[in-house]
Amino acid sequence: MTLYMIGIGLWDEKDITVKGAEAIKKCSKVFLENYTSKPGVSIERLEKFHGKKIILADRNLVEKHNYEILEPAKQECVSFLVIGDVFSATTHTDLYLTAIKEGINVIVINNASILNVVGIVGLELYKYGKTTSIPFHNKDVEAPYDVIKQNKKNKLHTLLLLDIDAEHNKYMMVKEAIEYLLRVENKRREKVFTKTTTCVGVARLGSEKPKIISGTAEQLLKADFGEPLHSLIVPGELHFVEEDALKQWKNI
Ligand SMILES: C[S@@+](CC[C@H](N)C(=O)[O-])C[C@H]1O[C@@H](n2cnc3c(N)ncnc32)[C@H](O)[C@@H]1O
């Protein structure tokens, strides 16, 4: 019948669009992809709001056993929920293409993503360069440092997404991200990310109580961002309006 791929937004059960909530009502099965992000509320709260049982879909199910989602979608309506937006900073193109190839009707219902909600910081979204992620296992990883270097060369801002290990309930914090970048700086010594580099740490964007702090890397190391999820931004060249916007986040 139909596979609905629905972005549920970044925070609570009410961030879903009316269109998304109405689609879920029609579905006999509701999956929630739970390995690339984390909802701000419990699964029970989401289930209560939608009046449906939610099946958690881990990487193994989505990438290796996607027939568990696709087979029922051939007979009935099935929802595949994604935290944030369906195709933003996450890769569900394979599921989409396989569903289409198998003749399933697919309807995508979009929502806000970390990629646009980060606009609250006040840095122009069109002045961001390549986005990068910092993995937990980063001993020999320098790619995020190189992305900042390239973006800075082009006067562009860098959004760094921080790793998630949902299975072990582990979420990388701003502090760990800064420590990692300083470690790479210590090795490379190219002055791409030093203790005096201005950066902006953000946590729980999309909630009613987001935490946003701008300051030097050294200052942010001491800041308390609280519960996940966290991201880090390294600004490129700042327009004076962007400079003004960052001033409001300086009270640590
Ligand atoms: C793979 S991305 C999220 C993709 C998601 N589909 C979206 O559209 O936002 C997950 C990473 O984005 C960042 N992130 C997601 N939601 C966030 C939030 N509400 N506040 C701060 N950072 C967030 C974190 O660094 C997290 O590890």
Side-chain angles (χ1 to χ4, degrees), residues 36-172:
T36 66
S37 201
K38 175 187 183 308
V41 293
S42 67
I43 304 304
E44 291 73 32
R45 207 159 130 179
L46 292 172
E47 288 184 327
K48 193 167 170 221
F49 182 78
H50 292 293
K52 300 268 174 172
K53 169 101 194 98
I54 292 179
I55 306 160
L56 296 180
D58 61 12
R59 190 182 294 279
N60 195 40
L61 190 140
V62 177
E63 293 181 0
K64 299 214 175 89
H65 303 280
N66 65 18
Y67 54 85
E68 290 186 29
I69 301 167
L70 299 179
E71 283 307 313
K74 290 178 184 168
Q75 314 296 332
E76 316 149 21
C77 289
V78 171
S79 295
F80 179 73
L81 310 184
V82 180
I83 298 151
D85 183 47
V86 183
F87 296 116
S88 301
T90 188
T91 50
H92 294 305
T93 308
D94 188 54
L95 184 69
Y96 175 88
L97 291 177
T98 311
I100 299 282
K101 229 182 271 165
E102 296 195 10
I104 298 166
N105 180 40
V106 182
I107 295 178
V108 175
I109 302 175
N110 294 102
N111 210 311
S113 163
I114 183 61
L115 296 184
N116 52 50
V117 170
V118 81
I120 189 174
V121 165
L123 302 178
E124 290 289 353
L125 288 181
Y126 59 71
K127 283 176 59 196
Y128 277 82
K130 187 176 173 181
T131 298
T132 185
S133 308
I134 303 182
F136 276 121
H137 301 288
N138 55 34
K139 201 168 149 273
D140 298 313
V141 175
E142 295 179 12
Y145 182 90
D146 285 313
V147 170
I148 299 172
K149 181 178 168 183
Q150 189 59 37
N151 284 343
K152 275 194 165 175
K153 206 167 142 194
N154 295 326
K155 304 178 178 173
L156 300 173
H157 313 313
T158 307
L159 171 64
L160 297 116
L161 303 178
L162 313 186
D163 205 1
I164 288 177
D165 176 357
E167 208 184 317
H168 300 101
N169 204 23
K170 267 181 69 191
Y171 303 91
M172 189 182 285

Side-chain angles (χ1 to χ4, degrees), residues 179-230:
E179 283 168 350
Y180 157 76
L181 289 168
L182 290 175
R183 255 199 331 272
V184 181
E185 177 61 49
N186 203 27
K187 183 173 167 205
R188 300 267 297 263
R189 299 196 179 272
E190 295 176 34
K191 293 197 166 33
V192 168
F193 190 91
T194 70
K195 282 182 179 173
T196 59
T197 298
T198 295
C199 36
V200 188
V202 299
R204 301 174 303 285
L205 293 187
S207 74
E208 279 158 28
K209 288 195 177 150
K211 185 94 177 177
I212 305 170
I213 304 176
S214 103
T216 63
E218 193 169 29
Q219 286 170 329
L220 261 56
L221 273 179
K222 295 179 205 134
D224 180 7
F225 285 90
E227 294 292 302
L229 296 171
H230 294 187

Side-chain angles (χ1 to χ4, degrees), residues 6-9 12-27 30-32 41-54 79 81 111:
I6 305 173
I8 64 166
D12 67 21
E13 72 278 21
K14 294 186 182 166
D15 284 332
I16 192 157
T17 60
V18 174
K19 212 185 247 183
E22 284 177 356
I24 291 177
K25 283 202 182 81
K26 297 184 213 160
C27 292
V30 180
F31 293 89
L32 171 70
V41 293
S42 67
I43 304 304
E44 291 73 32
R45 207 159 130 179
L46 292 172
E47 288 184 327
K48 193 167 170 221
F49 182 78
H50 292 293
K52 300 268 174 172
K53 169 101 194 98
I54 292 179
S79 295
L81 310 184
N111 210 311

